[in-house]
Amino acid sequence: MRDLKYKIGLLLILIGLFMPISMFAQDGGISGSLILDSLQKFWNNTSFANFEYKYLVMIFVGLVFIYLGIAKNWEPLLLVPIGFGILVGNVPFTEGYKIGIYEPGSVLSILYSGVISGWYPPLIFLGIGAMTDFSTLIANPKLLLLGAAAQVGIFATFIGAYAIGFTPEQCGAIGIIGGADGPTAIFLSSRLAPELMGAIAVAAYSYMALVPVIQPPVMKLLTNKKERVIRMKPPRQVSRFEKIAFPIIGLLLTTFISPSAMPLLGMLFFGNLLKESGVTERLAETARFALINTITILLGLTVGASTQADRFLTVDSLLIFGLGAASFVVATASGVLFAKIMNLFLKEGNKINPLIGSAGVSAVPDSARVSQEVGLHYDKTNHLLMHAMAPNVAGVIGSAVAAGILLSMLS
Amino acid sequence: MIILKINSWAELLFGAAIGISVVFIALAILVILFEIVQKIMIGQSKKKQRKAGKKSDEIVDTSANANEIVAISAAIHLFFNETHDKESNVITIKQIEKRYSPWNSKIYGLNNTLHR
């Protein structure tokens, strides 16, 4: 009874609200059709009227990214912004109101300009440089070669993409996914194939997050139990002079060979010098926290938003995803196999555990962590993390050099 | 500036081969340079030790074994833990019965406002 009274009361309030509108329409001579027209226009501007099943697919992909980031803790700093960006980019809208990321003058489009013109990636590299400790690499420089070996994945994918039918410029942009380096992939695709950037960026970041899933089976397949338990010598202590000299020598040498990689390597080594100099701690602090966090938020969100269903869901995107997965497998395999080849020439006691070869892909520090975990699985006291960090950071340098080479070859 | 115009499979494969070779060469030069720097640094530190009066057979490699480092760290950890007194870690609030006495009455400790 009380419920009925409540419903009647609600009905009276609704009538009270709508009565004046209908009276105003009759008095002012406004026909009912005008109200209907206005409602129709309003409806046409809603996302429901512009809805297509493609958007639903992309929204689902975005939700999966967010789930993997939060529940599985897979690269949450990348997957959560990208996943949410996918949701933002796939809310259907009526064009012409400067809403979408591809509409000139819209807020999203302005934020996306950092991706399009490629100035976000060098800033990310500045932060990475300010975070990275190259000590293990300086202590055992031969591990740099593992970072070079893993770049085979880039050039193998470059060839594979050409076989499928992409243009040489597109092949270069797709190939860089094998470097497992999101900022480098964005930097190169913005120069060589801007039309494929959304797919390349999402593929690169997704596979970076999937490193713990993709790499272990390849590592186990290519090594035997004896190799997996090889103990490596602990790295020697590195002097301050060596730490300061490394970014300077590294910059001059690599950029003299591949000047196109300067925006990336210049910032990487600059960030590292800020860290190691010991006199610019405030700047290093800003680069490794405030700056890189800001750029990661903007980059992740806009890259995610660039996956607007009508432009993203194409056969090309699916092919790029397939090639990306293959390139990760090839990069991992080439790193592991090269470590085994190096062992043929190294004396007993100086041998390399081939499990750290997979860390040559530059997904820092995930691939190094994978080497550590797989190593611990076979010997609970053999910690490989410190050794794996060397090829891991070498991979960052290697993939930036490879990007520079592809850029100068193709652009 | 286009270094290599790719129009055929041969050119593409050639480009890929050049690309990976340049990556290897760049990093190999870095390896060689830092191997040299490493030798110089180790040589210099030995020289310093010799100047400090140590004989060449007394100069040992300073890089300790990982297990030794772990053992030393564990010992230091234990030593510093010993310096702290041990507590039961049981935190309880005990009710204390207080009998009224004018000596512990709060009322005499408060400032009474003046009434004019």
Side-chain angles (χ1 to χ4, degrees), chain B residues 50-101:
Chain B
R50 261 189 225 113
K51 270 188 184 173
K54 279 191 178 176
K55 287 175 192 168
S56 57
D57 55 334
E58 282 178 349
I59 299 165
V60 286
D61 191 5
T62 47
S63 57
N65 188 309
N67 294 332
E68 287 169 20
I69 295 169
V70 172
I72 293 165
S73 316
I76 292 170
H77 177 75
L78 283 173
F79 174 76
F80 281 110
N81 267 10
E82 285 296 305
T83 58
H84 199 274
D85 57 332
K86 280 179 186 164
E87 290 172 4
S88 67
N89 296 328
V90 179
I91 301 164
T92 52
I93 300 165
K94 284 180 183 169
Q95 197 77 38
I96 299 167
E97 192 186 337
K98 281 184 181 173
R99 291 195 176 175
Y100 174 78
S101 153

Side-chain angles (χ1 to χ4, degrees), chain A residues 349-365:
Chain A
N350 280 338
K351 298 235 185 242
I352 299 167
N353 189 320
L355 292 178
I356 69 163
S358 63
V361 301
S362 56
V364 182

Side-chain angles (χ1 to χ4, degrees), chain A residues 141 236 239 246 408-409 411, chain B residues 1-4 31 34 38 41:
Chain A
R236 69 178 174 89
S239 68
F246 184 78
S408 54
M409 269 202 312
S411 68
Chain B
M1 177 188 63
I2 298 174
I3 293 178
L4 191 71
V31 172
F34 274 88
Q38 189 167 322
M41 296 302 291

Side-chain angles (χ1 to χ4, degrees), chain A residues 291-355:
Chain A
L291 184 67
I292 199 169
N293 289 348
T294 310
I295 301 295
T296 304
I297 290 168
L298 296 176
L299 185 82
L301 190 81
T302 50
V303 161
S306 71
T307 62
Q308 213 168 287
D310 50 341
R311 290 170 187 250
F312 187 77
L313 279 184
T314 58
V315 178
D316 278 358
S317 300
L318 291 176
L319 289 173
I320 289 167
F321 268 77
L323 284 164
S327 70
F328 261 63
V329 172
V330 175
T332 306
S334 51
V336 174
L337 290 174
F338 196 78
K340 289 176 77 162
I341 293 168
M342 282 174 79
N343 276 346
L344 297 176
F345 302 98
L346 292 170
K347 286 180 208 159
E348 201 61 48
N350 280 338
K351 298 235 185 242
I352 299 167
N353 189 320
L355 292 178

Side-chain angles (χ1 to χ4, degrees), chain A residues 138-139 141 144 148-149 151-152 155 158-159 162-163 168 234 236 239 242 246 249 253 257 338 397 405 408-411, chain B residues 1-4 6-7 9 12-13 15-16 19-20 22-24 26-27 29-31 33-35 37-38 41 64 66:
Chain A
I138 300 167
L144 261 164
Q151 309 315 318
V152 169
F155 294 97
F158 176 61
I159 296 167
Y162 192 71
R236 69 178 174 89
S239 68
E242 285 171 283
F246 184 78
I249 297 173
L253 192 90
I257 292 171
F338 196 78
I397 302 171
I405 295 159
S408 54
M409 269 202 312
L410 301 164
S411 68
Chain B
M1 177 188 63
I2 298 174
I3 293 178
L4 191 71
I6 294 171
N7 289 316
W9 263 106
L12 182 102
L13 293 174
I20 193 68
V22 174
V23 174
F24 265 100
L27 296 186
I29 295 171
L30 259 181
V31 172
L33 266 175
F34 274 88
E35 289 282 1
V37 170
Q38 189 167 322
M41 296 302 291

Side-chain angles (χ1 to χ4, degrees), chain A residues 74-150:
Chain A
W74 287 355
E75 291 271 357
L77 299 181
L78 300 175
L79 288 189
V80 173
I82 293 178
F84 199 80
I86 294 174
L87 300 186
V88 169
N90 285 286
V91 173
F93 61 89
T94 311
E95 286 193 10
Y97 296 97
K98 291 186 180 175
I99 300 168
I101 198 160
Y102 294 108
E103 287 188 292
S106 73
V107 174
L108 282 175
S109 148
I110 292 165
L111 295 178
Y112 192 48
S113 66
V115 177
I116 291 282
S117 41
W119 56 267
Y120 283 164
L123 290 177
I124 295 239
F125 263 62
L126 180 73
I128 293 172
M131 281 178 189
T132 308
D133 187 355
F134 285 104
S135 302
T136 48
L137 192 64
I138 300 167
N140 199 355
K142 62 178 177 290
L143 297 180
L144 261 164
L145 294 175
L146 295 177

